[in-house]
Amino acid sequence: MDPGTALAVVNTSAKVLSIFSKYYSEVKDAQRHITNLVNEIEDFRRVMQKFYELLRTSTKLSVSAALEPTIVQTLSDLGTLQTKLNPKPGARPMKRLGKRALTWPFEKKEVEEWTAKLHKLNMKINVALSTDQSELPFTLIRWCEKSLNIEIDAKVTQLKHGQDAIEQNRLLGKLPMATDAAYNSAHRQHEAYCIDDTRVELLQQLRHWSENHERPVCWLSGMAGTGKSTIARTFAHQVHSKKTLGGSFFFSRSSGEGNNAANLVGTLATHLAYAFPQLRESISKEISAHEDVTRQGLRNQWQAFIVKPLSKTQMKGRPTFNFVIDALDECGSDDDIRFLLQLFFETKDPMNVDLAMNVNLGIFVTSRPEVVIRLGFESMPDIIHQKLDLRDIPRHIVEHDLSVLFETEFADISRQRKISDWPNPNDIRMLVQKSDCLFIYAKTACRYIGSLDWNPKERLLELLHGSSTWGGGTAELDAMYMQVLRCAFTTGRHTSEISELCDRFKQVVGFIVTLFDELSVSALAKLLFKPVGSVDESLCRLHSVLNIPADETSTVRLLHPSFHDFLLSKKRCQDERFYVDEVLTHSKLAESCLSVMSTALKRNMCRLSTPGSSPQDMERDMLDRELPKHVQYACHYWVDHLAAVDSIAGPKLLNHGSVHAFFQRDFLHWLEAMSLMGKMQGAVLMIIKLSTLSEVVQDSKRFILGNRGIIEKAPLQTYASALVFAPKESLIRSYYPEQLPTWLTRHPTVPDGWSSRTKTLQLPCRTGAVAFSPDGSYIASGEGDHTKAPTGRIRLWYATTGGIYSTLEGFPDTVTALAFLHDGTLAAVFGETQVRLYDYITGATRRILDIDFACIESSKSYEGIPKLSLAVLPHGDLLVRCMDQNLRIWSWEKDTCSKPLFPNFKARHLYGRLAQGELVLDGSRDDTEDYELLLFDVNRNAAHSLTKIHPYLTVATSSRNIVAWSTKEGTIELYQVATGRGNFSKLGVHPPRVSGLAVSPDGTRLVSSGRDQTLRMWDLSTGAQILLGESCTIVRSIEFSPDGMQIATSWWQSNTIQIWDLSLLNTAISRPIEAIKPDKFRFSPTGEHIAAFIGRNSTLSLYDANTGAVKVSFVGHVGSFAFSHDSKQLASVLEDDTTIVWDILTGSSTTILSHDSVSVLAFSPDGKQLASGALGSLRIWNLETGDIVLELKMSSSIQEIVFSLDGTRLAWQSLNEDEETASTDIRFWDLNAGHLCHDAVIPARFMAGTIAISPNGTIGAYQSRGGTVLCDLASTETRVLANTKKGYLYGKYLESVTTLVFSRDNRYLASSFSSGVIELWSIEAGRLIGVYDFGHYLRYGATSSALGPGLSISADQSYIESKVGQISTRQVQRDAPDDFVAPISRWRYTSQNGGWLMEGTRKMLWIPPDYGDRGRVDHHDGTFAFCHFTGVVLLKVAQGEPVADSGL
């Protein structure tokens, strides 16, 4: 091949890359496509450069030379690409007209095709080069065309910087942000700054503060209209010009984004990143480290995106940064304001010492002197904040500034209107007096007088001689507003025209002042279903009170909130023609919102690619394209408008009007839209706000609370999982039958109605502790993550919605206990030695207590019980159960622990304090191993033993002097403390064993949880019990809310917290007390039946897999069972050690066999024989006669039995548990010859896994330490498929193999591992063909023969089937193309990310925890069986062609 061809390819690649660099700055929407394609072209250029070097050194490149036609074609393709990418002549001048010069010329599909083509070519050339290089000298001649190298390197560097910038932009785009909140945003470009010679002294004070920040927070306080925002804007501009402005946020009551504290930190961080490049990388890295930025609490955001980058980034000197926060009083809620003030206060926190050392940070805040803000600042030390109050400025200074303002504005008006000697000084003095120190009056008056459609002299006279009809503090301002309105709509007009104009004013301006967020003229017109021109006509004369942009896509804003207050007050706006009836307007807006949603919303409106796609998967501009601003507004605020409607209009709307129709027609579409907008927390609150009004709203509340988590992550699961698993009697389910997935041919059986469990909170790792806040508004959860270094975190959840309020991260160990102290402080125990105290609202650390005592007898602690626990004493000190199992008191006054209070008693756990002050604990005395439950009086240092207890008992206490505990058998006993003596009683039994107990705060009820995963509530006065429901996990922790109406349940090994509403018990569907959740189940080989075993009642049930109904149940079984290969027989072991063979068709027993302690059963392929394995023997039975055909004695316990498909071989493995010679024994038996073919002994420390025999009986397979062993059963020769070779990714799963299976033609072997990994081997070549990760725990165990094979290869070798579904063998093979798509739909279940039903790689249906319990699932030919408290639940998917996009 000619080296010139390769050089031409390199040159052309470089030119194409240089063109790409132009697109980075020109084409915003193409950035993702550019990055994908550039990476492949750059890889291709490097490969071709290497190829060129090889061609220059040798002409004997036999393999590479064969690629010449392909490379020549690629050169031509690159030329085509270059031509298409090059901007056309004349494009650049368009930039001056404000248009983008370059348009990305490719569709997404074209980019993907180019990327795939180059990727494949890169792979081919690399393989060829690897082969040819082995024939060349080690040292190659370096390419000497330096000019080309320099050009390429420069372009690559430029592209690298461009890619970095794109990635940083992408990450910064994830931050929650208010785009119009910056002081200099386009939204505020016409807002005024302080005029020269005004606010001189005040601005000088601020200038001095901004440079040194002796006190890091500066608060400017003033009444409405006194000019605070203008001062803030001017100050922000000044520090910006000095390059010390870190960011600004101007709160606005009328802006949905601008009044939301959740957007503050993200906005400031974004400003900081773009203003200071050295911080941009640090902030971007922090965003990347937090997977779900929008769900992080404000404290986490503040620490991660503000404090940490400012503290850790290396900068020259100690630079100064100023944040400017205006109108804090217009922030959403008082809680948010308190929280933000706490964050500002912490700029001087000792915990942030790196921040103070690295930068000089100051925060400037303006607000009205509202109580919550005033108290917040008063609680700060003087060294933290400086206060400036506009009311303290002498009146003569303010009046001077107002005079300057009027003189300046009137000079501009005179110049524009060509008026001389106007106005006279006396007029200005009168205007200053009318302003009464209100700058808003002055600015509005100047805008009114200077309006181009009226004579300024006449308007000035009207203002000077007008008067207010009432004497309030805003009288002059109100009079001016009234004058503005009359001049715009009544002066000089006919009566009929006035009426029409005023009606139009109320419809347009009345809506504007009542909106909860600002809208553009275009969006407002669409919301009101009016022409844009009609809206413009109503606004055109109101420029003195409204900011009306020339661009109809920019938002219309009130120039000051006082105009809103004026129009909505009948006392202030006394002209009925202009007074806006707030309730009536809200009613009309609610109807408009509902109409907009009915018209605009539809299923999959943003065209997500799969039902499991996240909102983050769509392009950034897709949301605004498919959900325009007026639609987003309608979705977000329709309930707020409805709630503002009076008591007559509200119920009428709900029960007979548009709202009821909304729930029947648009509710699911609305949920999808709210998820796409990232507003699911708001959606839940909206429905809760309506929840007392109607049965359908109550049902929608249960629907959204139960499914909020998955809808938030995958909007299209609204129509899939949420609808599929909704109860039968759900109204929402009944309204939308046509929305159910068409690719589900059998829907799962679901409960009739909603249970009392309202929410399930999903955590990323295990739960350590749970506690309700004192007011019941929040739930605190402690977690521990040991996947890497041990770390702990605390989450605070909204108790009503299940949303995350805040997260505290980065703690040294698992959070093992949580408790709220008397003052609301949250105490958290980390690991074994540390207690931290937090302000749970702000997350601020108050104290850190190190309680470190040597552990004497750590064996006394058992799994799940922390070594350090605490209880709050009446006077506020803490009683601590330390690591050494001694009780000590932590004294706040002494700041240390006391000596052991009860040194002869080793406490295991503290359970709580009774009303009389005694503490309840358990443990053992020094001289005994017996555990006791004690009442401990701290004041007298005396203990009273209540009872001897089992080490694993459960205990609960109540402030009403009640102690409850359980026995080993599940009996619940009570001790009620009376004056001077106690009263013992037995409440009842919760079989098989109690795992958790809790007594309600009022002492009238008790909730118990059992190992059967049921929860029961007991009436302590009558002993009556009721089934609360079934948990998706075992429950060990039960916490009552302070009002006793909710409970939170959890288990330290689970990552879920479940919330139960006890007020719903009357409406919950009643069920039998005993649950029927199976312990194990399995499809028959033909898939017609399912056998399920329930251990707690020793029942084996046989289900019809087509109908899901139980055909027959057998009582008295132990759980070992097996199907015959033709699925006509079922063998099972009974409690009396007999084995019964059942005829499945008739349900009658055909054979009864006697074999003690049978643990494994296996049918011969023809179904005429049955093998049974037990401790010490293996037997083969003739099922026609009941005779023993073969009996083999052994000292070990049989774990697995396997017949070859031709019936000639038998294999088993047994476990020898002798302490000295422990091992797993593998045996292969020739049934025809009656002798042993092969045996192997594997050390017991190694998990041997499973065994298999090829269908023709010639090869045996088992797992050994070195890999999978293949044994020729005729010659007994063995070879090892060494799946642990160096560098093999899945080698770590070797010791947990679960299944081995041969293909029907004996050519392939598939093995599965407990992690979900499946390997496919070629037996003849001894080569690993490929690996696939099912993403689900495949737990078959060594007794898989009892349940049937967990893995199989189809007869045509086209797919592998496991208990969790199917996978195409082409997707497993290593040489399969990257873009391979199976021609036939293959479905599987994965427990990754919470549990999903997958079609290939597409997430289709989320399976709730109730159905995917402990990974217990089985599959046969498209039918999935799940474990549920109602029994086995079946779900069937359509087989054949993959689901089309239209079916999503």
Side-chain angles (χ1 to χ4, degrees):
M1 180 177 174
D2 182 11
T5 303
L7 180 59
V9 173
V10 174
N11 274 289
T12 305
S13 301
K15 291 176 182 177
V16 172
L17 289 171
S18 68
I19 298 172
F20 271 111
S21 64
K22 301 175 184 177
Y23 280 87
Y24 276 113
S25 58
E26 296 288 332
V27 186
K28 176 183 177 183
D29 296 336
Q31 290 172 352
R32 185 185 305 174
H33 299 302
I34 294 174
T35 301
N36 291 339
L37 195 49
V38 162
N39 288 338
E40 287 301 337
I41 294 176
E42 170 57 17
D43 287 345
F44 180 63
R45 184 196 65 78
R46 287 174 179 159
V47 169
M48 287 307 301
Q49 180 175 334
K50 188 176 180 182
F51 194 29
Y52 170 76
E53 292 172 351
L54 280 172
L55 287 170
R56 285 174 56 84
T57 59
S58 175
T59 57
K60 297 179 180 180
L61 302 179
S62 56
V63 179
S64 301
L67 295 175
E68 181 173 6
T70 304
I71 292 174
V72 170
Q73 179 60 46
T74 304
L75 176 61
S76 174
D77 291 343
L78 284 172
T80 303
L81 182 64
Q82 179 182 356
T83 301
K84 197 166 185 178
L85 283 169
N86 256 328
K88 296 178 181 179
R92 180 58 57 184
M94 293 175 63
K95 193 70 180 272
R96 300 193 191 100
L97 302 178
K99 299 180 180 179
R100 292 192 176 274
L102 299 178
T103 302
W104 184 240
F106 298 111
E107 297 292 333
K108 181 180 178 182
K109 186 176 181 181
E110 291 179 274
V111 175
E112 291 173 346
E113 289 173 354
W114 265 103
T115 304
K117 182 189 297 184
L118 288 168
H119 178 74
K120 290 179 182 178
L121 185 56
N122 282 337
M123 296 295 291
K124 288 182 180 179
I125 297 175
N126 269 317
V127 170
L129 289 175
S130 298
T131 304
D132 287 335
Q133 271 185 307
S134 63
E135 304 171 6
L136 296 174
F138 178 76
T139 305
L140 297 174
I141 300 174
R142 297 213 40 189
W143 192 15
C144 62
E145 283 78 10
K146 293 183 179 180
S147 59
L148 182 60
N149 264 329
I150 293 171
E151 178 187 357
I152 291 175
D153 290 343
K155 296 303 181 183
V156 171
T157 301
Q158 184 180 0
L159 284 169
K160 174 62 177 169
H161 290 322
Q163 287 177 317
D164 289 345
I166 287 173
E167 177 61 12
Q168 290 171 1
N169 285 343
R170 185 188 70 80
L171 291 169
L172 290 169
K174 295 174 68 174
L175 289 173
M177 183 180 177
T179 53
D180 295 329
Y183 90 94
N184 57 351
S185 67
H187 189 65
R188 301 178 182 276
Q189 60 184 323
H190 300 300
E191 294 180 354
Y193 295 90
C194 293
I195 296 173
D196 290 344
D197 197 30
T198 63
R199 302 297 196 185
V200 176
E201 185 177 345
L202 176 61
L203 289 173
Q204 181 60 39
Q205 285 181 272
L206 292 177
R207 193 175 301 115
H208 175 74
W209 171 84
S210 71
E211 293 170 352
N212 56 61
H213 298 149
E214 293 175 356
R215 287 176 281 187
V217 182
C218 181
W219 175 37
L220 177 67
S221 171
M223 303 302 293
T226 54
K228 299 183 298 299
S229 293
T230 303
I231 295 168
R233 199 174 303 112
T234 303
F235 174 68
H237 178 70
Q238 289 178 348
V239 294
H240 185 224
S241 65
K242 293 183 177 181
K243 301 187 184 306
T244 63
L245 178 65
S248 60
F249 195 101
F250 280 48
F251 281 102
S252 173
R253 181 171 61 187
S254 60
S255 169
E257 288 183 343
N259 66 14
N260 191 345
N263 295 322
L264 173 67
V265 177
T267 302
L268 294 180
T270 303
H271 293 172
L272 199 61
Y274 284 111
F276 301 94
Q278 64 268 44
L279 292 170
R280 188 172 177 178
E281 184 177 354
S282 299
I283 295 172
S284 298
K285 285 181 178 178
E286 288 299 320
I287 299 171
S288 180
H290 294 78
E291 294 181 1
D292 193 351
V293 176
T294 58
R295 295 188 65 181
Q296 293 286 325
L298 278 177
R299 169 168 299 282
N300 287 46
Q301 292 184 32
W302 181 259
Q303 288 294 325
F305 310 138
I306 302 292
V307 174
K308 193 170 180 181
L310 287 176
S311 303
K312 303 300 182 184
T313 304
Q314 294 297 320
M315 290 179 283
K316 187 176 181 180
R318 184 172 174 264
T320 295
F321 296 94
N322 290 282
F323 288 132
V324 179
I325 315 295
D326 179 56
L328 182 61
D329 53 285
E330 296 189 32
C331 175
S333 70
D334 287 355
D335 282 344
D336 287 338
I337 291 173
R338 292 189 193 96
F339 194 91
L340 293 178
L341 289 176
Q342 178 65 38
L343 292 183
F344 302 158
F345 166 76
E346 290 174 14
T347 55
K348 275 286 189 180
D349 194 312
M351 302 283 288
N352 292 327
V353 62
D354 290 343
L355 175 66
M357 292 178 64
N358 206 39
V359 298
N360 176 24
L361 177 63
I363 302 172
F364 176 65
V365 181
T366 76
S367 76
R368 300 182 191 184
E370 305 291 358
V371 174
V372 62
I373 300 175
R374 193 174 67 250
L375 293 178
F377 276 109
E378 288 175 358
S379 66
M380 290 186 190
D382 289 339
I383 62 169
I384 298 294
H385 85 285
Q386 175 179 344
K387 180 183 177 183
L388 300 173
D389 196 330
L390 292 179
R391 292 172 296 182
D392 295 338
I393 300 177
R395 187 179 183 90
H396 71 274
I397 293 178
V398 178
E399 290 182 345
H400 166 269
D401 292 346
L402 285 168
S403 295
V404 173
L405 188 154
F406 279 122
E407 289 169 359
T408 304
E409 294 287 343
F410 284 147
D412 288 341
I413 295 171
S414 298
R415 187 167 49 256
Q416 293 171 6
R417 308 297 289 274
K418 298 181 179 178
I419 305 172
S420 58
D421 301 325
W422 173 88
N424 64 59
N426 190 51
D427 290 342
I428 290 181
R429 280 194 295 272
M430 290 180 64
L431 283 174
V432 169
Q433 290 176 1
K434 280 181 171 289
S435 297
D436 195 25
C437 296
L438 293 178
F439 281 80
I440 184 57
Y441 179 94
K443 293 298 295 182
T444 306
C446 291
R447 280 190 291 267
Y448 174 68
I449 294 168
S451 177
L452 294 177
D453 58 355
W454 210 261
N455 187 313
K457 290 184 176 181
E458 293 180 7
R459 285 201 165 180
L460 174 59
L461 290 175
E462 289 172 1
L463 279 184
L464 292 176
H465 300 295
S467 61
S468 175
T469 56
W470 79 294
T474 58
E476 294 295 343
L477 183 62
D478 295 345
M480 184 184 61
Y481 282 146
M482 187 59 69
Q483 185 64 40
V484 169
L485 296 177
R486 287 173 177 165
C487 182
F489 298 105
T490 64
T491 303
R493 301 183 187 275
H494 295 294
T495 305
S496 59
E497 186 183 9
I498 291 172
S499 176
E500 181 182 348
L501 288 174
C502 290
D503 286 345
R504 195 182 297 170
F505 165 82
K506 287 190 175 184
Q507 293 172 6
V508 176
V509 180
F511 278 26
I512 289 174
V513 299
T514 316
L515 290 173
F516 292 104
D517 196 2
E518 298 162 351
L519 292 175
S520 66
V521 171
S522 174
L524 183 62
K526 292 174 182 176
L527 181 65
L528 304 182
F529 294 93
K530 291 182 177 294
V532 172
S534 174
V535 174
D536 275 333
E537 288 177 11
S538 299
L539 301 177
C540 64
R541 294 176 178 269
L542 296 175
H543 285 270
S544 56
V545 289
L546 297 175
N547 184 351
I548 307 170
D551 179 7
E552 68 179 34
T553 61
S554 298
T555 58
V556 178
R557 294 187 299 112
L558 303 180
L559 288 173
H560 197 268
S562 58
F563 187 55
H564 163 277
D565 300 337
F566 165 75
L567 289 179
L568 298 183
S569 171
K570 209 166 190 176
K571 187 176 182 180
R572 294 177 62 184
C573 183
Q574 297 185 356
D575 189 331
E576 286 287 341
R577 294 173 298 180
F578 303 114
Y579 164 68
V580 176
D581 185 327
E582 187 173 7
V583 170
L584 180 61
T585 308
H586 278 301
S587 175
K588 292 179 179 179
L589 275 169
E591 287 281 12
S592 292
C593 289
L594 291 167
S595 297
V596 164
M597 290 189 291
S598 178
T599 303
L601 299 184
K602 61 182 180 179
R603 180 170 177 161
N604 199 10
M605 56 201 86
C606 285
R607 299 191 291 281
L608 296 177
S609 59
T610 74
S613 294
S614 163
Q616 283 73 41
D617 295 337
M618 64 182 178
E619 296 180 5
R620 285 190 292 179
D621 60 346
M622 176 68 80
L623 182 66
D624 288 336
R625 278 203 313 268
E626 302 301 326
L627 284 176
K629 292 299 182 184
H630 71 290
V631 180
Q632 293 187 38
Y633 180 91
C635 291
H636 196 185
Y637 293 109
W638 68 273
V639 170
D640 291 318
H641 288 300
L642 191 65
V645 178
D646 64 17
S647 59
I648 297 176
K652 181 179 179 180
L653 274 172
L654 187 65
N655 295 325
H656 305 291
S658 304
V659 176
H660 193 74
F662 163 81
F663 282 104
Q664 291 180 315
R665 187 176 55 225
D666 303 312
F667 176 66
L668 296 189
H669 302 326
W670 172 72
L671 286 180
E672 179 195 341
M674 292 297 281
S675 175
L676 291 168
M677 292 188 292
K679 303 288 186 183
M680 281 303 295
Q681 170 76 5
V684 177
L685 289 171
M686 290 165 71
I687 297 301
I688 289 175
K689 191 178 291 187
L690 295 177
S691 62
T692 60
L693 300 178
S694 155
E695 184 181 359
V696 66
V697 182
Q698 290 283 4
D699 190 73
S700 69
K701 173 184 172 182
R702 299 306 308 276
F703 188 91
I704 192 172
L705 283 175
N707 296 287
R708 175 249 172 91
I710 187 56
I711 294 175
E712 192 167 41
K713 295 176 182 176
L716 296 185
Q717 288 302 304
T718 305
Y719 315 99
S721 180
L723 205 57
V724 166
F725 292 102
K728 294 176 186 176
E729 297 178 3
S730 165
L731 291 175
I732 296 299
R733 182 189 180 102
S734 69
Y735 292 156
Y736 297 94
E738 77 285 353
Q739 296 290 354
L740 287 163
T742 56
W743 37 267
L744 277 183
T745 58
R746 175 187 175 81
H747 291 183
T749 302
V750 293
D752 292 336
W754 299 102
S755 73
S756 57
R757 185 179 64 203
T758 57
K759 297 178 283 292
T760 299
L761 311 180
Q762 294 280 350
L763 287 74
C765 49
R766 290 181 176 180
T767 311
V770 177
F772 276 93
S773 65
D775 63 357
S777 299
Y778 302 97
I779 298 170
S781 67
E783 305 167 24
D785 186 355
H786 288 255
T787 54
K788 297 180 181 178
T791 57
R793 68 175 63 90
I794 298 173
R795 293 184 197 272
L796 209 62
W797 309 76
Y798 292 103
T800 52
T801 67
I804 296 176
Y805 173 71
S806 63
T807 306
L808 302 174
E809 294 185 296
F811 300 118
D813 207 340
T814 301
V815 181
T816 54
L818 291 169
F820 284 93
L821 308 186
H822 299 304
D823 61 355
T825 300
L826 177 62
V829 177
F830 293 89
E832 300 174 345
T833 63
Q834 193 175 90
V835 179
R836 295 192 182 191
L837 306 180
Y838 297 96
D839 181 316
Y840 73 93
I841 293 295
T842 68
T845 303
R846 292 184 173 177
R847 295 282 295 276
I848 297 178
L849 315 180
D850 286 310
I851 304 172
D852 191 0
F853 293 93
C855 182
I856 297 173
E857 294 181 77
S858 60
S859 61
K860 293 290 185 181
S861 294
Y862 79 95
E863 195 175 49
I865 296 295
K867 294 179 180 178
L868 177 65
S869 54
L870 55 85
V872 184
L873 298 174
H875 52 276
D877 286 346
L878 301 178
L879 180 70
V880 184
R881 183 269 189 195
C882 299
M883 186 177 168
D884 63 357
Q885 299 181 298
N886 278 310
L887 297 176
R888 294 176 173 84
I889 293 178
W890 177 276
S891 169
W892 299 116
E893 182 179 351
K894 297 178 181 178
D895 200 29
T896 187
C897 274
S898 68
K899 294 180 179 179
L901 302 180
F902 196 15
N904 295 326
F905 186 81
K906 298 304 176 187
R908 189 181 62 145
H909 201 286
L910 293 175
Y911 293 105
R913 181 171 57 85
L914 304 182
Q916 296 182 183
E918 295 98 334
L919 287 140
V920 181
L921 59 129
D922 67 6
S924 62
R925 300 178 189 272
D926 283 346
D927 56 353
T928 178
E929 290 296 319
D930 294 333
Y931 282 94
E932 297 178 71
L933 188 63
L934 301 183
L935 283 182
F936 183 67
D937 190 319
V938 178
N939 296 325
R940 296 190 297 115
N941 196 25
H944 168 60
S945 178
L946 293 179
T947 182
K948 301 287 186 183
I949 60 173
H950 187 270
Y952 300 101
L953 95 168
T954 304
V955 178
T957 64
S958 166
S959 59
R960 299 293 178 137
N961 292 328
I962 297 173
V963 183
W965 65 87
S966 65
T967 67
K968 183 179 179 181
E969 295 76 22
T971 301
I972 300 171
E973 300 183 352
L974 300 176
Y975 179 81
Q976 294 179 309
V977 181
T979 303
R981 61 189 182 88
N983 179 28
F984 289 91
S985 62
K986 290 186 177 181
L987 183 64
V989 178
H990 188 156
R993 197 170 80 189
V994 176
S995 59
L997 288 173
V999 181
S1000 63
D1002 62 3
T1004 61
R1005 293 163 296 163
L1006 178 142
V1007 173
S1008 63
S1009 59
R1011 297 285 298 182
D1012 60 356
Q1013 298 179 213
T1014 62
L1015 275 83
R1016 308 183 190 189
M1017 189 167 70
W1018 306 73
D1019 186 314
L1020 295 184
S1021 61
T1022 65
Q1025 60 174 306
I1026 184 174
L1027 179 68
L1028 282 180
E1030 293 80 7
S1031 168
C1032 60
T1033 65
I1034 294 173
V1035 169
R1036 285 202 181 275
S1037 172
I1038 305 172
E1039 295 289 335
F1040 269 94
S1041 61
D1043 64 359
M1045 297 311 296
Q1046 292 189 91
I1047 59 170
T1049 62
S1050 62
W1051 182 31
W1052 70 275
Q1053 286 191 341
S1054 168
N1055 63 342
T1056 60
I1057 299 171
Q1058 297 171 89
I1059 312 301
W1060 309 72
D1061 188 336
L1062 303 185
S1063 66
L1064 299 174
L1065 286 176
N1066 293 333
T1067 60
I1069 301 298
S1070 60
R1071 294 183 296 276
I1073 286 291
E1074 186 173 7
I1076 54 174
K1077 180 180 287 188
D1079 294 286
K1080 54 185 175 181
F1081 56 93
R1082 188 67 184 166
F1083 274 100
S1084 64
T1086 59
E1088 299 173 294
H1089 302 94
I1090 298 172
F1093 173 69
I1094 305 172
R1096 48 192 159 276
N1097 58 16
S1098 303
T1099 300
L1100 182 66
S1101 298
L1102 193 65
Y1103 287 79
D1104 186 315
N1106 293 317
T1107 65
V1110 176
K1111 292 183 63 175
V1112 63
S1113 291
F1114 311 108
V1115 180
H1117 289 252
V1118 297
S1120 295
F1121 59 88
F1123 282 105
S1124 62
H1125 288 247
D1126 60 6
S1127 301
K1128 294 181 179 180
Q1129 301 177 88
L1130 175 68
S1132 60
V1133 180
L1134 274 64
E1135 292 173 335
D1136 61 1
D1137 284 333
T1138 59
T1139 298
I1140 296 185
V1141 180
W1142 308 87
D1143 185 310
I1144 291 179
L1145 184 63
T1146 64
S1148 60
S1149 61
T1150 59
T1151 309
I1152 300 177
L1153 313 171
S1154 180
H1155 190 182
D1156 292 346
S1157 305
V1158 171
S1159 58
V1160 184
L1161 296 171
F1163 278 93
S1164 62
D1166 60 7
K1168 296 180 179 181
Q1169 295 181 332
L1170 179 72
S1172 60
L1175 176 61
S1177 65
L1178 182 151
R1179 294 177 182 176
I1180 298 180
W1181 306 80
N1182 184 316
L1183 296 181
E1184 292 182 0
T1185 65
D1187 296 333
I1188 298 174
V1189 176
L1190 174 69
E1191 182 170 15
L1192 301 172
K1193 299 290 185 179
M1194 59 198 71
S1195 60
S1196 52
S1197 175
I1198 302 293
Q1199 301 294 300
E1200 184 178 13
I1201 302 173
V1202 176
F1203 280 95
S1204 64
L1205 197 58
D1206 64 357
T1208 63
R1209 298 286 196 272
L1210 179 74
W1212 70 90
Q1213 65 169 312
S1214 57
L1215 180 63
N1216 178 6
E1217 298 186 273
D1218 184 271
E1219 291 187 5
E1220 296 183 0
T1221 61
S1223 63
T1224 298
D1225 301 329
I1226 307 292
R1227 302 286 186 269
F1228 291 89
W1229 189 268
D1230 188 322
L1231 291 173
N1232 292 332
H1235 63 72
L1236 199 64
C1237 302
H1238 178 76
D1239 65 336
V1241 178
I1242 300 173
R1245 296 296 180 187
F1246 173 77
M1247 185 181 292
T1250 187
I1251 52 178
I1253 308 176
S1254 62
N1256 60 11
T1258 61
I1259 304 173
Y1262 58 93
Q1263 194 72 7
S1264 75
R1265 187 181 298 276
T1268 301
V1269 178
L1270 297 181
C1271 171
D1272 187 320
L1273 297 181
S1275 66
T1276 70
E1277 293 181 359
T1278 62
R1279 57 190 173 121
V1280 178
L1281 303 178
N1283 50 2
T1284 56
K1285 64 181 180 180
K1286 184 178 180 181
Y1288 178 54
L1289 178 61
Y1290 295 98
K1292 62 183 178 180
Y1293 300 117
L1294 171 66
E1295 296 192 3
S1296 52
V1297 69
T1298 55
T1299 307
L1300 293 168
V1301 63
F1302 286 88
S1303 62
R1304 293 288 183 91
D1305 62 2
N1306 308 289
R1307 295 174 57 202
Y1308 300 102
L1309 177 73
S1311 58
S1312 67
F1313 298 86
S1314 59
S1315 63
V1317 172
I1318 288 179
E1319 298 176 342
L1320 185 63
W1321 294 81
S1322 168
I1323 295 175
E1324 182 179 358
R1327 181 174 64 91
L1328 181 66
I1329 297 175
V1331 178
Y1332 187 80
D1333 188 352
F1334 265 99
H1336 181 79
Y1337 185 66
L1338 300 176
R1339 181 180 56 189
Y1340 306 119
T1343 58
S1344 61
S1345 60
L1347 300 178
L1351 200 68
S1352 64
I1353 302 174
S1354 64
D1356 61 358
Q1357 282 88 50
S1358 65
Y1359 65 89
I1360 297 173
E1361 177 149 359
S1362 79
K1363 64 176 287 186
V1364 294
Q1366 299 174 344
I1367 183 68
S1368 169
T1369 52
R1370 285 291 283 155
Q1371 285 182 262
V1372 174
Q1373 293 175 19
R1374 285 177 168 176
D1375 59 352
D1378 293 337
D1379 57 351
F1380 171 76
V1381 177
I1384 298 177
S1385 176
R1386 299 295 179 198
W1387 292 80
R1388 63 187 175 91
Y1389 171 77
T1390 173
S1391 56
Q1392 287 181 343
N1393 302 316
W1396 283 91
L1397 204 60
M1398 310 274 292
E1399 185 203 34
T1401 58
R1402 297 197 294 178
K1403 293 179 180 178
M1404 301 297 285
L1405 182 71
W1406 185 72
I1407 306 297
D1410 280 350
Y1411 294 85
D1413 177 42
R1414 298 184 187 174
R1416 283 182 279 186
V1417 60
D1418 201 7
H1419 168 265
H1420 187 279
D1421 197 28
T1423 299
F1424 291 83
F1426 295 98
C1427 175
H1428 192 251
F1429 60 78
T1430 58
V1432 176
V1433 172
L1434 302 177
L1435 183 152
K1436 187 174 179 60
V1437 295
Q1439 298 282 78
E1441 293 294 323
V1443 177
D1445 290 345
S1446 59
L1448 301 182

